[in-house]
């Protein structure tokens, strides 16, 4: 359903045995035939329905006719029914959904979207009660349709969905009508399922914001569904390896910019460091047997990063002053700083990946990921990130026989280490050490939530 901005007036007629009620809705013109959901409300029981109207793509001269009552418990007075377009130009769909759930007898449930690389997305949290597919008004093309009477098709991507145009004698099961909206192109795709999840049958555009509107209900008349609950969520499609490579090239271009420094400016570092409040380290000493456990990555950096809420690890920094070679005297994440040898973290048994490039209005940052070879995290990164040569790359490298690494000081280099660390053992063996620095800001907020990248930066944003 591609919204073009051109609208036309469509007549809708509600009919009963004794009366007729005429109303009008504004519908969008489309380039191709599509299914358009019309929202029907009934005042007697505060019920909401979706009527799936097959549009030829242009203005329809004949009216859309709906017969009432839609079921025995509803009003037989056609004047008790109203109709409007579900998705209207210039109207916030989320506000419309909120209005429906507050005013009418419509519940709310939650859905989520899972990602499988390179670009497969699955909607989860849908209803699942073991319904039989042969009772389902929407079904896969693989179903034998020769016995069906009058069927029409929804062509979307790699799948054709079939909508039965005949009323079902048996009671219809609950099903989910899933509307996927590309917020940039305004294109809306329609799917349905009786299962607990739905895998989208085509690739989404990477680094794009999408919205999901899910209506759970039953078909009570041909193409007309009584809505029992509504779900809404929004998400940004992840970067594929191609986008990560494009981000990598942008980071390289930034470090080579003549406006910054004419030549490479690397500084030697012996330790990577991590800032945390004192209570964090006391908890490790007293409650976790000295282990600093890895945690799931927050939403800091690029919101389309494939690492967000997917990969566990510990963040360390390689940022140093190019003049003194020392870390900054101020921390945003806590007053205690643990320094761990770079030779402990980057070894012949690890792999190094480029993951992200972003900024927070000041200096640009690069996120590198260190994994143990053959680990689950390593397999995760192989499919999503760009591998780097640990012995030489443009950001942070170390020769296998050296205890010193070289770091590019034109960007802030962060290292996401994907293993838990026994810091007590490292401290007792004097391989690692602690220092105290000045803290500023709220470290808890930055750690749990993360700070998204600057949206209007033309250097580090792909769009």
């Amino acid at each position: 359903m591609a919204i073009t901005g051109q609208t036309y007036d469509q007549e809708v007629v509600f009919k009963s045995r004794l009366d007729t009620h005429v109303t009008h809705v504004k519908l969008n013109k489309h380039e191709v035939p599509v299914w358009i959901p019309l929202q029907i409300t009934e005042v007697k029981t505060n019920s909401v329905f979706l009527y799936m109207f097959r549009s030829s793509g242009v203005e329809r001269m004949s009216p859309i006719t709906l017969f009432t009552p839609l079921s025995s418990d509803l009003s037989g007075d056609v004047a008790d029914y109203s109709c409007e377009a579900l998705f209207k130009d210039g109207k916030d769909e989320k506000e419309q959904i909120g209005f429906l759930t507050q005013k009418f007898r419509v519940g709310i449930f939650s859905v989520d979207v899972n990602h499988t690389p390179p670009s497969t997305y699955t909607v989860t949290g849908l209803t699942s009660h073991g319904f039989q597919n042969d009772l389902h008004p929407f079904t896969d093309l693989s179903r034998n349709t020769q016995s069906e009477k009058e069927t029409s098709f929804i062509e979307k991507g790699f799948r054709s969905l079939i909508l039965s145009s005949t009323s079902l004698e048996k009671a219809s099961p609950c099903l989910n009508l899933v509307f996927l909206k590309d917020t940039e192109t305004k294109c809306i795709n329609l799917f349905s399922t009786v299962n607990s999840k739905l895998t989208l049958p085509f690739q989404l555009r990477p680094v794009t914001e999408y919205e999901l509107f899910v209506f759970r209900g039953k078909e009570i008349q041909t193409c007309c569904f009584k809505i029992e609950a509504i779900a809404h969520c929004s998400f940004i499609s992840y970067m594929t390896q191609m986008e990560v490579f494009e981000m990598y090239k942008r980071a390289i271009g930034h470090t080579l910019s003549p406006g910054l420094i004419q030549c490479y400016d690397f500084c030697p570092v012996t330790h990577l460091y991590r800032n945390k409040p004192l209570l964090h380290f006391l908890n490790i000493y007293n409650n976790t047997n000295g282990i600093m456990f890895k945690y799931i990555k927050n939403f800091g950096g690029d919101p389309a990063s494939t690492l967000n809420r997917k990969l566990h690890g510990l963040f360390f920094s390689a940022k140093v002053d190019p003049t003194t070679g020392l870390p900054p005297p101020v921390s945003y994440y806590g007053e205690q700083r643990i320094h761990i040898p770079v030779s402990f973290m980057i070894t012949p048994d690890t792999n190094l990946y480029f993951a992200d490039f972003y900024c927070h209005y000041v200096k640009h940052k690069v996120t590198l990921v260190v994994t143990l070879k053959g680990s689950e995290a390593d397999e995760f990164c192989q499919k999503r990130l760009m591998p780097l040569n640990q012995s030489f790359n443009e950001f942070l490298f170390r020769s296998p026989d050296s205890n010193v690494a070289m770091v590019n000081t034109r960007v802030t280099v962060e290292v996401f280490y994907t293993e838990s660390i026994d810091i007590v053992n490292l401290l007792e063996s004097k391989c690692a050490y602690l220092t105290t620095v000045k803290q500023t800001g709220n470290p808890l907020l930055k750690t749990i939530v993360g700070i998204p990248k600057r949206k209007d930066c033309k250097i580090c944003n792909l769009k």
Side-chain angles (χ1 to χ4, degrees):
M1 184 187 299
I3 299 177
T4 64
Q6 295 180 324
T7 62
Y8 64 92
D9 183 83
Q10 178 62 55
E11 185 177 83
V12 180
V13 178
F14 291 94
K15 283 189 175 183
S16 67
R17 289 184 179 180
L18 302 176
D19 200 4
T20 299
H21 171 57
V22 179
T23 185
H24 295 264
V25 294
K26 288 288 186 181
L27 298 181
N28 295 298
K29 292 183 179 180
H30 307 281
E31 297 179 358
V32 295
V34 294
W35 286 96
I36 297 178
L38 298 182
Q39 175 188 312
I40 302 169
T41 56
E42 185 266 334
V43 297
K44 179 181 178 182
T45 60
N46 277 344
S47 297
V48 178
F49 306 86
L50 282 188
Y51 177 75
M52 300 307 300
F53 160 58
R54 178 68 168 173
S55 171
S56 62
V58 295
E59 184 172 354
R60 178 187 174 101
M61 302 306 295
S62 58
I64 301 171
T65 304
L66 298 171
F67 293 93
T68 58
L70 299 174
S71 66
S72 59
D73 61 330
L74 300 177
S75 173
D77 187 349
V78 292
D80 288 340
Y81 294 85
S82 63
C83 178
E84 64 176 317
L86 179 61
F87 300 110
K88 296 189 291 188
D89 263 343
K91 186 166 183 178
D92 190 325
E93 292 89 355
K94 289 182 288 186
E95 292 183 3
Q96 189 173 359
I97 297 298
F99 176 77
L100 288 178
T101 56
Q102 292 174 14
K103 185 175 180 180
F104 298 97
R105 296 195 310 173
V106 176
I108 302 174
F109 66 102
S110 298
V111 294
D112 200 1
V113 179
N114 292 334
H115 171 242
T116 303
S119 52
T120 300
Y121 292 83
T122 301
V123 184
T124 60
L126 304 175
T127 182
S128 177
H129 298 295
F131 297 125
Q132 298 296 319
N133 282 336
D134 59 352
L135 295 179
H136 188 202
F138 286 73
T139 185
D140 292 338
L141 187 61
S142 58
R143 174 182 170 185
N144 183 3
T145 62
Q146 293 181 356
S147 60
E148 294 287 345
K149 298 180 180 178
E150 299 181 15
T151 57
S152 50
F153 295 83
I154 304 174
E155 301 288 347
K156 286 299 174 189
F158 302 143
R159 176 181 296 179
S160 296
L161 300 179
I162 302 173
L163 176 63
S164 169
S165 61
T166 58
S167 298
L168 302 176
E169 294 181 2
K170 299 180 181 180
S172 297
C174 279
L175 72 152
N176 294 284
L177 299 177
V178 181
F179 296 88
L180 175 71
K181 178 181 179 180
D182 184 326
T183 60
E184 184 177 323
T185 64
K186 308 301 182 183
C187 179
I188 300 176
N189 293 281
L190 167 64
F191 312 95
S192 73
T193 184
V194 294
N195 299 317
S196 61
K197 61 183 180 180
L198 169 70
T199 298
L200 301 178
F202 57 83
Q203 295 183 354
L204 301 187
R205 297 192 304 131
V207 198
T208 301
E209 184 177 358
Y210 287 89
E211 285 190 281
L212 270 174
F213 303 93
V214 184
F215 296 83
R216 180 182 296 168
K218 295 183 179 181
E219 186 182 38
I220 59 174
Q221 282 187 4
T222 300
C223 301
C224 192
F225 302 86
K226 185 176 182 180
I227 302 305
E228 298 178 352
I230 302 176
H232 168 264
C233 76
S234 58
F235 66 97
I236 296 177
S237 53
Y238 291 110
M239 290 184 283
T240 65
Q241 282 184 308
M242 183 179 298
E243 281 70 44
V244 173
F245 180 63
E246 178 63 30
M247 194 77 76
Y248 166 79
K249 291 193 297 183
R250 286 177 178 250
I252 296 300
H254 178 66
T255 59
L256 294 176
S257 172
L260 295 174
I261 300 177
Q262 294 294 333
C263 60
Y264 276 112
D265 186 19
F266 281 89
C267 186
V269 293
T270 57
H271 292 72
L272 303 180
Y273 59 90
R274 175 175 171 81
N275 301 304
K276 280 293 179 181
L278 176 60
L279 290 177
H280 177 79
F281 289 97
L282 291 177
N283 179 65
I284 293 175
Y285 272 92
N286 298 324
N287 300 319
T288 67
N289 201 28
I291 305 297
M292 180 179 281
F293 285 105
K294 58 186 179 180
Y295 60 92
I296 194 165
K297 184 189 176 300
N298 59 26
F299 290 101
D302 197 298
S305 171
T306 188
L307 305 183
N308 292 345
R309 306 300 297 174
K310 299 296 181 182
L311 190 64
H312 289 73
L314 297 167
F315 266 112
F316 288 82
S317 179
K319 180 181 179 181
V320 293
D321 186 309
T323 303
T324 64
L326 298 176
V330 177
S331 163
Y332 294 96
Y333 299 94
E335 74 279 9
Q336 295 296 308
R337 176 176 291 168
I338 186 168
H339 304 254
I340 295 181
V342 67
S343 58
F344 171 85
M345 305 185 73
I346 301 177
T347 73
D349 295 324
T350 61
N351 282 326
L352 185 67
Y353 298 89
F354 174 89
D356 201 358
F357 176 51
Y358 65 99
C359 73
H360 292 143
Y361 296 94
V362 188
K363 193 172 185 179
H364 276 83
K365 299 182 180 182
V366 164
T367 300
L368 307 181
V369 178
V370 174
T371 64
L372 287 183
K373 291 181 178 179
S375 64
E376 290 185 9
D378 192 42
E379 294 179 0
F380 179 95
C381 294
Q382 286 177 5
K383 302 174 183 178
R384 296 166 170 84
L385 305 181
M386 178 180 171
L388 296 177
N389 186 340
Q390 291 187 149
S391 298
F392 181 77
N393 60 74
E394 296 83 357
F395 305 108
L396 177 69
F397 63 90
R398 170 186 173 259
S399 300
D401 56 350
S402 174
N403 292 327
V404 177
M406 302 299 293
V407 62
N408 190 331
T409 59
R410 299 180 211 169
V411 291
T412 297
V413 177
E414 299 175 324
V415 175
F416 193 61
Y417 187 73
T418 59
E419 299 295 323
S420 300
I421 301 176
D422 187 343
I423 63 169
V424 170
N425 181 56
L426 290 176
L427 291 170
E428 290 178 348
S429 62
K430 299 189 183 303
C431 289
Y433 63 93
L434 287 167
T435 58
T436 301
V437 295
K438 182 181 179 181
Q439 176 189 309
T440 183
N442 185 340
L444 186 62
L445 179 63
K446 292 181 175 66
T447 301
I448 295 177
V449 179
I451 304 176
K453 72 190 301 181
R454 176 184 171 186
K455 292 183 178 180
D456 58 346
C457 179
K458 296 181 178 180
I459 296 174
C460 60
N461 281 285
L462 294 181
K463 290 188 178 181

